[in-house]
Amino acid sequence: MNGNDCNRPDDVLRPFPEKREEIPVDKANPAIRLYGRRFYKDQTPVEYLAEFLLVFTSPKQDPKSSKENDGRYSFILSLNSTPPRYWPENRVALKLFSFFPSSKLETRHPAHQKAYLDALEKVKGTCNLGCSEDKKDEMVRLLQSLFGGFIGVAKNRTWVTHTFLPVSTALLASELVWLHPRAIKNSSINCWDDSKKYFESNHHIFMARGGELLFLQMANLFSDPNAPELTEMLAQKPYQHLGENRVIKLANRLEQQLRKLLEEAVAPLSGLARLIEETLKDYQIDSQTKSSNLGWVPVASRIEALLFAQEMDNLCAANLSALEKLDLLQTLCSMQVLRSLCFQARRIDGAETFTFGFIGNYAWIAADPKATTNTSIRQMAQDSFSHIEALLYRVLRNTALSDSGGTSSQKEADKNGFQLFRKIAKEIGLVIPRTGGGQRFVLTPDLLRFLVSALLRPGERIRMTDFYQRVFAHYGIALGGQSLAIALDWNNGETGTKNYAVAVSTNWIEEALQQGGFLVELSDAVSIVHNPG
């Protein structure tokens, strides 16, 4: 179970799918060579989930040639083409209707202004003929407010690069970029059709392939559910709760649950979205859906992919609202990015020791967010974060990742490696403070709620000590007891410090779990963590 350090670089870097698109920048960037194509610094947490679900719900065989079993709502990837592809919708007409009036003013082209005003009239035309103009205007405003309320990312972007919250298949969209500086120089652009050539679908700036990479981890896992490394993992005591034969059944169940979540949760909204798109079909960019090439992931990533899939299965099965599930799934995708960076780094980097009880062979020591500067656990968490950053920095300089055929893009690799880890960890509250010194791992009440929901099946009860062990087995997060001693050993802690760590108070964790309704105290000595689902 702890054999990652024994892997040869060729095995660690072996890609899935094996047949893939090769481009020079990928060969030159150590982060892409190590982690796959690709994790990228500018992608936001909601866009990781949105892109993951976009690939999952899209056809993965050419819709023109395949009428059935085209790969929609499936983790099974057709490997017939090189590279593998999928066919996502861009939802450009729906974005024009929903986001244009609130978008960045200086990137609103006059041709799009005309198109937007015409789109409003077309949508008004779908109203009952007996409605007054005032009623029609009111209906359009209500529809725009409705869809505007499901915006996931806007920031300082043009309207077409806004992202919907991924609450429905009808709101999942691929990235389009509007080349405004080039378009504005062309004085002959007077209408929508003239502007079409200035929309680009191959930039991947915001939907930057991170979600594609997470999907490929799943596809890699389910392409060989009986892989020897999975069998070996499931035979180990820390992972027996996953079930010895569960991988084979996991794909179908997870596919069904995700499809139900996306199709049924907000079905009326989906119907309205499709009505608007049909009404505004004149504002499509292409007559046929374009394909997008998928990248690759390391074959070795199926270990962390199994943990990812099991946790997603638990979240989808929970008796929660669709929005609550999607919020937790967004956190899960962010945590999976962080976990993947550390797992793969440890497979290449041989400078560290093993972590008994955790197959990833690294450790994050988490403290109470309110811990004062003079507490030992806060210093441990601070040292732990520094140690992880050093690992992620060091591994990108490993000679196994050097490119013999070109110049190494080290600056970009750092942005998409250890700097990315810091950025996402801060965004989800795993690392504080956001700026300044003393940066450390912490667990907020929201992250503890996530861990209970992701690691325990709905209705499951386990002892507090077993919960600590399960958190460590999935994420390498050390909260107390033996796992904390192991983590300190990995962080090169001294023996005296390790012995003291076993006795470090975990009252703050128990209080947070109790306030969240996740703790059942049977006696002074025995506490049960419960996922009410």
Side-chain angles (χ1 to χ4, degrees):
M1 186 175 81
N2 286 317
N4 288 348
D5 290 305
C6 298
N7 289 336
R8 295 178 303 173
D10 289 347
D11 293 332
V12 174
L13 302 179
R14 187 162 61 94
F16 172 90
E18 185 175 357
K19 297 178 180 180
R20 66 192 195 280
E21 183 184 23
E22 293 272 14
I23 58 178
V25 68
D26 294 352
K27 293 181 179 179
N29 188 324
I32 293 178
R33 299 192 72 206
L34 178 60
Y35 298 121
R37 188 168 182 235
R38 64 181 174 167
F39 292 133
Y40 188 65
K41 63 182 177 64
D42 289 335
Q43 192 157 5
T44 63
V46 69
E47 285 168 325
Y48 278 105
L49 176 60
E51 190 174 33
F52 170 83
L53 293 174
L54 177 67
V55 186
F56 170 70
T57 58
S58 296
K60 296 166 199 65
Q61 296 183 37
D62 192 340
K64 293 182 293 184
S65 60
S66 178
K67 298 185 183 299
E68 296 182 2
N69 299 322
D70 61 0
R72 298 175 198 258
Y73 300 99
S74 175
F75 289 114
I76 305 304
L77 190 62
S78 172
L79 302 178
N80 295 329
S81 62
T82 304
R85 295 179 290 169
Y86 68 110
W87 281 259
E89 299 286 348
N90 57 47
R91 314 291 180 197
V92 65
L94 185 62
K95 287 186 175 184
L96 176 68
F97 174 77
S98 304
F99 299 143
F100 184 82
S102 60
S103 64
K104 190 177 180 180
L105 184 62
E106 55 267 34
T107 59
R108 297 187 205 170
H109 195 278
H112 296 168
Q113 178 72 28
K114 292 178 184 178
Y116 169 69
L117 294 175
D118 183 60
L120 296 185
E121 292 301 315
K122 288 180 181 296
V123 174
K124 282 167 63 175
T126 64
C127 294
N128 189 301
L129 293 177
C131 290
S132 66
E133 284 299 308
D134 287 344
K135 288 288 186 182
K136 291 179 181 180
D137 288 337
E138 183 181 357
M139 184 208 73
V140 169
R141 286 194 297 270
L142 286 172
L143 284 174
Q144 287 183 306
S145 296
L146 175 64
F147 286 105
F150 284 94
I151 191 167
V153 181
K155 295 188 174 181
N156 196 29
R157 303 182 187 176
T158 189
W159 61 271
V160 78
T161 52
H162 290 191
T163 301
F164 284 108
L165 284 173
V167 297
S168 165
T169 304
L171 299 185
L172 296 172
S174 63
E175 178 181 278
L176 278 177
V177 175
W178 169 243
L179 305 177
H180 187 73
R182 287 171 52 186
I184 208 69
K185 292 178 181 178
N186 187 347
S187 58
S188 65
I189 299 177
N190 297 311
C191 65
W192 177 264
D193 286 343
D194 293 339
S195 74
K196 284 183 179 180
K197 63 182 179 180
Y198 293 100
F199 288 102
E200 286 285 350
S201 60
N202 60 354
H203 280 204
H204 292 280
I205 298 171
F206 306 113
M207 303 286 274
R209 296 192 184 276
E212 291 181 6
L213 194 154
L214 296 181
F215 173 85
L216 285 169
Q217 287 185 346
M218 292 282 207
N220 176 34
L221 168 67
F222 296 126
S223 70
D224 189 4
N226 294 312
E229 61 268 36
L230 296 177
T231 303
E232 179 184 350
M233 172 188 178
L234 293 171
Q236 304 298 324
K237 185 177 179 180
Y239 300 98
Q240 288 179 355
H241 65 280
L242 298 177
E244 187 176 350
N245 299 314
R246 211 168 178 192
V247 184
I248 298 172
K249 300 176 181 178
L250 188 55
N252 288 336
R253 187 170 63 251
L254 192 51
E255 288 170 354
Q256 293 169 7
Q257 291 187 130
L258 284 173
R259 181 168 188 164
K260 181 178 180 181
L261 175 64
L262 292 169
E263 288 193 340
E264 298 181 10
V266 286
L269 180 72
S270 302
L272 286 172
R274 293 187 179 97
L275 173 63
I276 290 171
E277 287 206 294
E278 178 61 27
T279 303
L280 303 181
K281 59 185 177 182
D282 291 343
Y283 298 111
Q284 295 176 349
I285 298 296
D286 304 295
S287 58
Q288 295 179 334
T289 304
K290 284 187 174 181
S291 66
S292 182
N293 293 342
L294 286 165
W296 66 87
V297 292
V299 170
S301 68
R302 59 168 55 106
I303 293 292
E304 52 268 38
L306 174 56
L307 299 175
F308 182 40
Q310 180 59 57
E311 292 158 12
M312 186 173 290
D313 184 48
N314 287 342
L315 294 179
C316 288
N319 184 24
L320 299 170
S321 71
L323 290 177
E324 286 177 307
K325 288 183 182 180
L326 288 164
D327 184 57
L328 290 169
L329 288 172
Q330 180 179 311
T331 300
L332 174 61
C333 286
S334 296
M335 291 289 282
Q336 179 65 6
V337 173
L338 302 181
R339 176 165 53 190
S340 298
L341 292 173
C342 293
F343 259 83
Q344 187 67 354
R346 282 293 289 120
R347 293 186 178 111
I348 284 287
D349 187 275
E352 306 288 354
T353 57
F354 299 132
T355 52
F356 179 78
F358 176 47
I359 199 169
N361 289 321
Y362 65 85
W364 305 340
I365 298 176
D368 180 356
K370 299 177 183 178
T372 56
T373 53
N374 60 346
T375 55
S376 59
I377 188 63
R378 174 167 166 160
Q379 186 60 51
M380 293 175 197
Q382 188 173 324
D383 292 344
S384 177
F385 179 66
S386 298
H387 202 80
I388 286 291
E389 281 212 310
L391 164 67
L392 297 175
Y393 178 87
R394 182 176 66 242
V395 73
L396 293 176
R397 287 148 179 82
N398 191 294
T399 55
L401 302 177
S402 61
D403 175 37
S404 59
T407 303
S408 174
S409 180
Q410 195 66 61
K411 186 175 181 180
E412 281 301 303
D414 287 342
K415 289 179 181 178
N416 304 329
F418 81 94
Q419 292 178 17
L420 173 66
F421 183 93
R422 179 189 297 184
K423 175 178 177 287
I424 294 179
K426 289 182 178 181
E427 284 180 339
I428 65 174
L430 180 66
V431 169
I432 62 170
R434 292 186 72 96
T435 59
Q439 294 174 6
R440 60 198 181 277
F441 289 114
V442 297
L443 281 184
T444 63
D446 284 344
L447 284 175
L448 278 168
R449 173 181 179 246
F450 161 76
L451 290 172
V452 173
S453 301
L455 304 186
L456 276 68
R457 297 186 303 277
E460 185 179 5
R461 295 168 175 246
I462 60 175
R463 293 167 66 100
M464 175 69 81
T465 51
D466 293 334
F467 174 67
Y468 289 167
Q469 291 172 6
R470 190 171 297 187
V471 170
F472 189 63
H474 279 247
Y475 285 101
I477 298 176
L479 298 178
Q482 189 63 28
S483 63
L484 184 53
I486 294 169
L488 281 167
D489 183 57
W490 187 79
N491 278 276
N492 300 316
E494 297 178 1
T495 303
T497 307
K498 288 186 289 181
N499 291 338
Y500 176 70
V502 178
V504 166
S505 173
T506 56
N507 288 341
W508 64 277
I509 302 172
E510 296 173 22
E511 289 173 3
L513 291 173
Q514 193 168 46
Q515 289 173 2
F518 303 118
L519 195 67
V520 180
E521 293 187 281
L522 300 183
S523 68
D524 291 341
V526 179
S527 295
I528 299 294
V529 179
H530 172 222
N531 179 9

